[in-house]
């Protein structure tokens, strides 16, 4: 059935083009096929299953000013040694935000990052270990502050979808039953978080109906990780 098919690509223009081409081939059923960007798909899931997303439902998207203000507040309230240089205590604000975005893009939440940093041996690189542990604390406080202010950022849509699918087996089974055939276009540009979402959606069957198209020579989103 068309509603059991999910097609994922990277731009809204690509989804529109895909829908248009499908309509010319198969007619009306094309409108029942799920064709989305990764973020658009996760946003649809959040809107369709709000009870599984208490952190995001009712929240608003944090803009760049919100994000900078939150990180500055965290720096003011914590005695960081590596992320708060004496000359300019806000020097690493941009770097902290960049690292948080990269962690989210790889599907790593604050608890998982703290667990990873706790396994690092300080004897090998004490300064870098301390810096990562401070970043781990900043990441947790950043997420806490977003929740407190009823905000979420762009990367949270995918990260929260992954978290909810991991926590709620029935929710995951519902989606696996709904989306039985999955196409991923431009797969060379997927990041870790997007791949984790795919793995969860397709892990019910050892041989899922998953069709992937990609060309590493065309990777244009390397900055995603």
């Amino acid at each position: 059935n068309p509603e059991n098919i999910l097609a994922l690509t990277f731009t809204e223009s690509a989804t529109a083009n895909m829908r248009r081409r499908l309509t010319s081939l198969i007619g009306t059923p094309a409108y029942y096929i799920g064709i989305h960007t990764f973020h658009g798909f996760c946003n649809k899931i959040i809107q369709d299953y709000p009870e599984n997303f208490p952190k995001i439902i009712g929240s608003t998207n944090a803009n760049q000013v919100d994000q900078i203000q939150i990180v500055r507040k965290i720096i003011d309230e914590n005695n960081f040694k590596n992320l708060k240089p004496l000359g300019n205590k806000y020097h690493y604000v941009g770097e902290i935000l960049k690292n948080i975005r990269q962690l989210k893009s790889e599907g790593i939440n604050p608890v998982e990052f703290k667990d990873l940093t706790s396994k690092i041996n300080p004897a090998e690189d004490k300064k870098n270990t301390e810096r990562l542990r401070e970043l781990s604390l900043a990441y947790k406080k950043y997420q806490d502050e977003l929740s407190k202010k009823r905000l979420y950022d762009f990367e949270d849509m995918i990260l929260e979808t992954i978290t909810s699918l991991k926590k709620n087996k029935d929710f995951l089974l519902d989606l696996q039953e709904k989306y039985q055939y999955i196409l991923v276009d431009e797969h060379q540009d997927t990041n870790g978080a997007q791949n984790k979402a795919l793995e969860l959606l397709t892990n019910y069957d050892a041989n899922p109906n998953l069709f992937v198209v990609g060309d590493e020579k065309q990777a244009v989103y390397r900055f995603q990780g």
Side-chain angles (χ1 to χ4, degrees), residues 57-198:
I57 290 299
S59 299
T60 54
N61 198 359
N63 59 38
Q64 193 173 17
V65 174
D66 294 325
Q67 294 170 343
I68 290 169
Q69 286 176 342
I70 288 171
V71 173
R72 284 188 167 208
K73 183 174 185 284
I74 291 166
I75 288 171
D76 289 338
E77 293 176 354
N78 290 273
N79 187 29
F80 293 134
K81 292 180 180 177
N82 295 282
L83 300 181
K84 191 176 179 179
L86 290 174
N88 176 5
K89 64 179 180 178
Y90 300 132
H91 178 74
Y92 288 118
V93 168
E95 198 68 22
I96 292 169
L97 282 168
K98 177 185 171 186
N99 279 281
I100 288 173
R101 279 194 290 270
Q102 286 179 336
L103 286 164
K104 290 184 179 186
S105 292
E106 289 306 310
I108 300 170
N109 65 37
V111 174
E112 290 167 332
F113 188 50
K114 183 180 179 182
D115 184 51
L116 287 170
T117 57
S118 69
K119 294 174 183 175
I120 301 171
N121 182 1
E124 293 175 5
D125 188 346
K126 185 178 179 183
K127 187 172 181 181
N128 198 41
T129 301
E130 289 174 354
R131 187 187 296 268
L132 286 170
R133 287 179 179 169
E134 286 183 8
L135 178 62
S136 173
L137 178 61
Y139 184 14
K140 181 187 182 302
K141 288 183 177 291
Y142 176 79
Q143 288 303 104
D144 290 345
E145 198 65 26
L146 283 177
S147 294
K148 195 188 300 181
K149 291 179 177 290
R150 301 299 295 165
L151 294 169
Y152 66 92
D153 60 24
F154 191 63
E155 290 78 17
D156 280 331
M157 282 192 282
I158 294 179
L159 191 63
E160 286 298 322
T161 299
I162 292 168
T163 302
S164 188
L165 290 175
K166 284 180 177 177
K167 282 167 56 176
N168 191 331
K169 185 79 181 293
D170 289 338
F171 177 38
L172 176 59
L173 287 171
D174 282 347
L175 292 185
Q176 288 174 334
E177 187 174 3
K178 180 174 174 62
Y179 299 111
Q180 297 174 21
Y181 300 85
I182 301 176
L183 163 74
V184 186
D185 186 31
E186 306 288 0
H187 184 258
Q188 74 277 358
D189 292 323
T190 55
N191 58 36
Q194 291 161 342
N195 273 318
K196 281 186 182 180
L198 273 179

Side-chain angles (χ1 to χ4, degrees), residues 1-3 5 7 15-36:
N1 296 319
E3 57 269 23
I5 300 170
T15 64
N17 188 39
M18 200 181 291
R19 179 95 56 197
R20 188 167 56 250
R21 291 168 70 181
L22 262 178
T23 305
S24 70
L25 290 167
I26 63 174
T28 305
Y31 292 102
Y32 296 96
I33 294 172
I35 305 176
H36 307 278

